[in-house]
Amino acid sequence: MPDHDRDIKGNATEAFEAVSWQVAGALTGDAAMPLMAYLQMVYEMAREAKSPEEELASNPQFIMNGHSGRGSPKTKGYFGYRKGLSLFSSAAGFTSKIASTATQVDVGGVLKESNAIGSSIGHLCKVRATGARYRQSETITRWVDAVQTAKGLKIAVRSVDLAGAAIPIGAVGLGTGVASAVAKAGIKVTIGGLMGRVAMELHWRAFQEVTISRVLVAPNGKAVGPASAILYELFTKRGMTRIFGQHDIANMVKEPAGWLAVRDKLMLM
C-alpha cells in the first residue's frame, strides 16, 4: 500500500476510534465513567505498546550526498521517548478523568492542554523572530510559514481540547472530543506531505550549517544558522515536559534519519 494511502487509512482509523470512545463515554453516563476511562486507558496503552517502531529511513539528501552510511541512534531514542510519553499520558489521563468526578473539571486535562498551548506559542514566537532576520530569503520564509501553519493548527486543536476539559457539561465534552479527533486526522492528511518535505529541507540545511561551522569555528551543540536555529527551537522543551530533559538535537541533526524526528515534531497535534 502506498505511504499516502496508508497514512489516510491510519488517520481515518484513529479518528473513528477517538470519536467512538467519546460517544461511548457519553452514552454510559457518569456512573460508568470510571470504568470507561479505565478501559480507554488500557486500550490506548496496549495499542501504543504494540505499535511498530518508526522505520528509520534516511533523508534523500543525505543519500544523494553520500552521508547515509551510518546509524541514527539518537533519532531512534527520540521515538522511544515519544512512545514512553504516550504511555505516561494515557495513565495520567485516566487519573485525571477519575478525579474530575469530584471536581467536575478535568484539572489534569486543563493543565496538559494549557501547557501544550503555551509551549506552542513560545515556539511560534521564537521561530517568527528567526524568520524576521532572514526576510530576504524565500526559502527560509517558506520554512517559517510551514512551522507557523503547524503550530497554529496545534494551538487551535488544543484550544478545543482545553474547552472540553474546562467546561463540566457532557454535551460540550462530547462535541469538543469529536471535533478534535476529526480535526487532527484531517490535518495529518492535508499537510502531512508538505511537512515531510519541509522536514527534509530543514534537516539537510541544518546539517550543512553545523558541518561548515565545525570546520570554521568548531561550535559544540549550538544553532549556527537559520535552519539549525529553527530546529533547536522546535525541540526545546518548555513547561511540564522539561523534567524529562532536553532532546539531543545536536546529534539528531547529524543522523541520516533525523528528518523523521523533525517531521514528527511538526505534525504533533
Side-chain angles (χ1 to χ4, degrees):
M1 182 183 294
D3 289 343
H4 181 65
D5 293 342
R6 184 164 56 244
D7 287 344
I8 292 176
K9 182 178 179 181
N11 292 327
T13 301
E14 180 182 329
F16 175 77
E17 291 175 351
V19 170
S20 297
W21 280 112
Q22 292 290 333
V23 173
L27 293 177
T28 54
D30 292 340
M33 196 278 285
L35 175 60
M36 288 300 302
Y38 174 75
L39 291 175
Q40 185 176 0
M41 178 194 69
V42 171
Y43 175 80
E44 290 177 350
M45 294 181 75
R47 183 182 63 180
E48 191 63 40
K50 72 176 183 180
S51 64
E53 297 228 349
E54 182 78 19
E55 183 181 351
L56 297 182
S58 296
N59 189 328
Q61 291 283 3
F62 275 62
I63 296 174
M64 289 187 292
N65 289 278
H67 296 289
S68 60
R70 57 183 183 275
S72 300
K74 297 300 180 182
T75 303
K76 184 176 181 179
Y78 165 83
F79 283 106
Y81 160 82
R82 289 277 295 112
K83 178 177 284 193
L85 189 61
S86 293
L87 293 172
F88 174 80
S89 180
S90 295
F94 166 70
T95 302
S96 180
K97 286 179 182 177
I98 296 301
S100 70
T101 58
T103 63
Q104 298 302 308
V105 175
D106 186 349
V107 177
V110 170
L111 291 174
K112 174 187 173 183
E113 306 308 338
S114 298
N115 180 74
I117 292 170
S119 179
S120 295
I121 291 174
H123 290 316
L124 197 55
C125 292
K126 293 287 188 178
V127 170
R128 281 177 177 172
T130 297
R133 297 197 295 269
Y134 300 93
R135 287 198 182 105
Q136 73 281 5
S137 171
E138 291 185 9
T139 299
I140 296 172
T141 298
R142 179 162 50 83
W143 293 341
V144 172
D145 287 345
V147 174
Q148 288 184 155
T149 296
K151 293 303 176 182
L153 289 170
K154 180 177 180 178
I155 291 169
V157 170
R158 291 306 185 102
S159 295
V160 172
D161 289 335
L162 177 60
I167 302 174
I169 301 174
V172 173
L174 174 61
T176 56
V178 171
S180 176
V182 173
K184 288 177 183 177
I187 288 168
K188 290 179 180 179
V189 171
T190 304
I191 68 172
L194 169 64
M195 293 305 160
R197 292 192 297 273
V198 170
M200 289 179 188
E201 291 181 15
L202 278 170
H203 177 227
W204 173 242
R205 175 68 173 269
F207 173 74
Q208 290 179 302
E209 292 172 357
V210 170
T211 301
I212 293 171
S213 295
R214 284 177 62 193
V215 173
L216 297 177
V217 295
N220 183 24
K222 296 180 180 179
V224 292
S228 54
I230 290 172
L231 293 192
Y232 269 84
E233 177 53 39
L234 280 177
F235 283 90
T236 295
K237 295 181 185 178
R238 292 188 174 86
M240 295 183 291
T241 56
R242 286 183 297 178
I243 63 174
F244 299 109
Q246 295 295 333
H247 295 297
D248 190 356
I249 183 60
N251 282 306
M252 280 194 285
V253 163
K254 304 171 190 174
E255 295 182 346
W259 75 278
L260 292 170
V262 180
R263 182 186 66 177
D264 183 75
K265 287 295 290 184
L266 290 172
M267 293 300 298
L268 190 59
M269 295 290 128

